[in-house]
């Protein structure tokens, strides 16, 4: 007979677990795994949570039985104003249909065509950098990836508005993270300061995305990019097209998610390389050997083996999406415990990626963990930076390619040093950002040209 509750933290103070999760999310979740094991129960207000800390259980939920769970209502409620009912928050047949319509934009052949844009926009950024510059790298990466996703997916240039849009997205993410762990939400219509900020930030993002959509509709031109696909796609299963609202919601979702996560991964990679000179040297040696001073291209991507390992190890230590939640749609049994309908399952990439059973010395930056001969022996879902199953990040290949090409382009030209006196801690909002930014000093590398090198 299934037991009711697994072990977990109990709080004698009303809302105690909520306060812990609000103030120390990563520590709270990591401590749960260390103290209570592979499945942990705790309450946030009246809601029951089950934290899954072993690869098999995570695979069981995400891959083998995804029909048993839905997106959590907290995520839907807190992001409704900004991204509506896009793929990130929708469920069931509607989600499957939307994914079918969007999927062609992320076909491998189409992604390959985006490579030159990624590299050229990175070169544009580097043209503004100089040796001994001081740069806030997380901000620089946000601007860069926003330009890339706008051009590749929407054939638009948001350079002039990047700072205001980025600030609006930051406010939206901070607000969503706060509201997810709040037991009581004030109605959106109440004229509080935070509600006004949230509405204003949503309007800035909406104006940018709807501007792209309206311009494309006015042109009536099929440019072969994501936006054209959203506007013209016909579902083979039912012959239907997206409504204006559905196009808006998917465009908003892909615009925000398409640059936020990659920007964070790149910022953390540059930070980790600045703190690990041996890895920095190995990376530059690969770039010198493979590129010889030339610009990276899609053709050389398979040769950038160590660069790819650096990106993967960065996403192990600082996964851009640090946790996944699902609401249980139908009761089931897991590891001898009854998991009731309406409870919330929590699966944390951060917790799993720092589990010493799978990653010895988890706080050590060691890209060699992802050498092919070692990576193949990792249990599935010990490492899952892009989620898994039918809801795996639709842009995972896009993001991985972008991170490798951008990192290679930057590191071939510059070495980075962390400016002293900074506090470097991850801020677990919706994504895992550097809480106080990353102030770095740039050092230009000597050009390395090898005329005999053929790429």
């Amino acid at each position: 007979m299934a037991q009711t509750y697994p072990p977990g933290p109990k709080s004698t103070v009303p809302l105690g677990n909520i306060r812990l999760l609000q103030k120390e999310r990563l520590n709270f979740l990591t401590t749960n795994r260390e103290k209570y094991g592979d499945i942990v129960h705790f309450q946030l207000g009246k809601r029951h949570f089950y934290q899954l800390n072993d690869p098999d259980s995570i695979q069981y939920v995400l891959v083998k039985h995804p029909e048993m769970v839905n997106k959590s209502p907290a995520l839907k409620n807190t992001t409704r104003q900004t991204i509506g009912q896009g793929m990130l928050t929708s469920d069931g047949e509607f989600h499957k249909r939307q994914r079918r319509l969007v999927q062609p934009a992320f076909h491998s052949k189409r992604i390959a065509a985006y490579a030159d844009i990624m590299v050229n926009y990175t070169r544009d950024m580097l043209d503004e950098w100089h040796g001994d510059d001081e740069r806030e790298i997380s901000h620089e990466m946000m601007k860069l990836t926003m330009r890339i996703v706008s051009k590749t997916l929407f054939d638009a240039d948001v350079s002039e508005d990047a700072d205001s849009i980025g600030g609006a997205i930051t406010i939206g993410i901070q607000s969503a993270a706060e509201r997810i762990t709040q037991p009581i939400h004030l109605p959106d219509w109440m004229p509080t300061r935070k509600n006004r900020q949230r509405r204003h930030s949503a309007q800035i993002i909406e104006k940018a995305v709807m501007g792209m959509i309206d311009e494309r509709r006015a042109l009536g031109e099929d440019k072969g990019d994501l936006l054209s696909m959203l506007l013209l796609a016909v579902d083979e299963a039912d012959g239907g097209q997206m409504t204006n609202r559905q196009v808006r919601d998917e465009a908003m979702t892909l615009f925000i998610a398409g640059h936020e996560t990659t920007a964070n991964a790149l910022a953390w990679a540059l930070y980790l390389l600045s703190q690990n000179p041996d890895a920095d040297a190995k990376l530059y040696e690969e770039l010198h050997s493979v590129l010889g001073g030339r610009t990276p291209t899609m053709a050389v991507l398979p040769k950038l083996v160590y660069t790819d390992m650096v990106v993967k190890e960065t996403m192990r230590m600082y996964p851009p999406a640090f946790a996944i939640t699902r609401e249980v749609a139908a009761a089931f049994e897991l590891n001898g415990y009854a998991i009731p309908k309406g409870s919330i399952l929590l699966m944390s990439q951060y917790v799993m990626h720092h589990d010493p059973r799978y990653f010895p010395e988890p706080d050590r930056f060691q890209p060699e963990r992802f050498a092919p001969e070692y990576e193949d022996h990792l249990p599935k879902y010990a490492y899952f930076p892009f989620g898994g199953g039918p809801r795996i990040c639709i842009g995972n290949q896009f993001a991985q390619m972008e991170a490798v090409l951008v990192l290679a382009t930057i590191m071939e030209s510059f070495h980075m040093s962390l400016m002293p006196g900074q506090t470097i801690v991850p801020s677990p909002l919706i994504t895992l950002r550097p809480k106080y930014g990353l102030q770095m000093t740039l050092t230009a590398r000597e050009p390395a040209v090898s005329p005999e090198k053929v790429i």
Side-chain angles (χ1 to χ4, degrees):
M1 184 176 180
Q3 302 176 60
T4 305
Y5 296 127
K10 306 294 188 291
S11 177
T12 57
V13 180
L15 307 181
N17 284 330
I18 289 179
R19 292 195 182 98
L20 276 175
L21 197 61
Q22 287 173 336
K23 293 180 179 179
E24 303 177 37
R25 288 182 197 185
L26 300 181
N27 184 59
F28 175 75
L29 297 175
T30 301
T31 300
N32 281 349
R33 191 261 303 159
E34 292 171 347
K35 289 182 67 174
Y36 304 110
D38 286 346
I39 181 166
V40 180
H41 169 264
F42 59 91
Q43 283 187 248
L44 297 182
K46 294 182 178 181
R47 181 78 79 170
H48 290 267
F49 278 69
Y50 294 81
Q51 181 180 332
L52 309 183
N53 301 318
D54 79 280
D56 289 344
S57 294
I58 294 169
Q59 186 177 23
Y60 182 85
V61 171
L62 295 182
V63 181
K64 295 182 178 179
H65 295 285
E67 76 285 352
M68 299 190 307
V69 295
N70 293 318
K71 278 286 186 170
S72 72
L75 179 66
K76 294 178 183 179
N77 293 336
T78 54
T79 58
R80 182 186 297 117
Q81 191 172 48
T82 306
I83 63 174
Q85 197 177 10
M87 281 187 298
L88 183 66
T89 55
S90 58
D91 285 308
E93 290 304 315
F94 181 77
H95 173 266
K96 292 177 184 177
R97 179 179 184 271
Q98 294 298 97
R99 193 170 177 110
R100 283 197 304 269
L101 292 173
V102 173
Q103 188 70 59
F106 294 96
H107 188 278
S108 57
K109 289 183 179 179
R110 186 171 294 275
I111 289 174
Y114 300 149
D116 288 346
I117 294 172
M118 295 170 177
V119 172
N120 290 338
Y121 274 28
T122 307
R123 295 299 314 172
D124 288 348
M125 178 188 72
L126 298 183
D127 286 343
E128 299 177 2
W129 289 10
H130 305 92
D132 299 324
D133 274 1
E134 295 177 358
R135 297 275 174 171
E136 203 288 275
I137 288 299
S138 56
H139 179 63
E140 295 286 330
M141 294 302 102
M142 285 289 177
K143 289 197 298 183
L144 172 61
T145 58
M146 188 184 298
R147 285 195 70 205
I148 289 172
V149 79
S150 300
K151 184 65 177 176
T152 53
L153 301 186
F154 305 110
D155 193 29
D157 188 350
V158 297
S159 301
E160 294 184 2
D161 300 317
D163 286 337
S164 62
I165 297 170
I169 290 172
T170 295
I171 290 172
I173 287 173
Q174 290 172 339
S175 172
E178 290 173 2
R179 287 162 66 87
I180 280 175
T181 55
Q182 287 175 345
I184 300 173
H185 296 164
L186 294 176
D188 288 339
W189 54 263
M190 289 190 68
T192 65
R193 179 178 62 85
K194 288 190 175 182
N195 275 350
R196 287 195 298 270
Q197 282 183 332
R198 187 162 48 249
R199 280 195 296 271
H200 182 60
S201 67
Q203 288 166 0
I204 291 173
I205 305 167
E206 172 115 3
K207 181 181 177 181
V209 172
M210 290 306 298
M212 300 177 201
I213 294 173
D214 291 343
E215 182 178 347
R216 183 64 54 83
R217 284 196 187 280
L219 288 173
E221 182 182 352
D222 180 3
K223 293 195 174 184
D225 58 8
L226 172 75
L227 186 51
S228 292
M229 288 185 177
L230 293 178
L231 292 168
L232 300 172
V234 176
D235 186 3
E236 293 181 0
D238 61 18
Q241 289 183 279
M242 291 191 196
T243 65
N244 287 344
R245 181 68 187 185
Q246 288 163 5
V247 171
R248 176 263 184 207
D249 289 353
E250 297 302 349
M252 291 282 279
T253 299
L254 291 163
F255 177 70
I256 295 173
H259 84 273
E260 166 77 22
T261 51
T262 308
N264 288 327
L266 284 165
W268 286 119
L270 294 169
Y271 160 71
L272 288 166
L273 288 167
S274 77
Q275 301 302 292
N276 293 273
D278 289 347
D280 181 89
K282 286 182 181 179
L283 177 61
Y284 184 64
E285 181 182 353
E286 175 175 90
L287 299 179
H288 182 83
S289 172
V290 173
L291 302 176
R294 293 174 174 82
T295 299
T297 64
M298 185 66 184
V300 303
L301 198 63
K303 298 179 182 179
L304 298 176
V305 177
Y306 191 75
T307 312
D308 185 69
M309 288 158 55
V310 166
V311 170
K312 288 177 177 176
E313 174 70 345
T314 297
M315 292 193 294
R316 182 193 68 80
M317 294 190 70
Y318 296 104
F322 70 94
I324 294 171
T325 55
R326 295 285 189 269
E327 183 180 41
V328 177
F332 65 98
E333 185 177 322
L334 183 64
N335 292 357
Y337 295 103
I339 310 294
K341 179 180 178 179
S343 55
I344 301 293
L345 302 178
L346 188 152
M347 297 150 279
S348 171
Q349 290 97 324
Y350 185 89
V351 171
M352 293 303 303
H353 295 184
H354 288 78
D355 191 326
R357 292 178 294 180
Y358 313 112
F359 302 101
E361 297 182 87
D363 294 328
R364 179 184 172 199
F365 181 64
Q366 190 178 3
E368 289 76 11
R369 298 179 202 271
F370 291 96
E373 61 270 26
Y374 297 114
E375 186 179 10
D376 290 345
H377 295 293
L378 267 179
K380 287 185 177 181
Y381 293 90
Y383 179 77
F384 59 116
F386 297 108
R391 299 198 70 121
I392 192 170
C393 172
I394 198 168
N396 59 342
Q397 292 180 323
F398 177 100
Q400 184 73 22
M401 181 183 77
E402 180 183 6
V404 171
L405 289 175
V406 171
L407 185 64
T409 307
I410 293 172
M411 294 305 295
E412 191 184 20
S413 298
F414 287 95
H415 167 77
M416 298 195 187
S417 302
L418 188 69
M419 293 178 64
Q422 298 183 72
T423 301
I424 309 300
V425 292
S427 178
L429 300 172
I430 302 299
T431 56
L432 204 61
R433 289 184 171 194
K435 186 171 185 178
Y436 305 109
L438 294 167
Q439 294 288 342
M440 310 281 272
T441 302
L442 310 182
T443 302
R445 298 192 195 268
E446 290 294 323
V449 180
S450 303
E452 74 282 358
K453 180 67 66 178
V454 177
I455 299 177

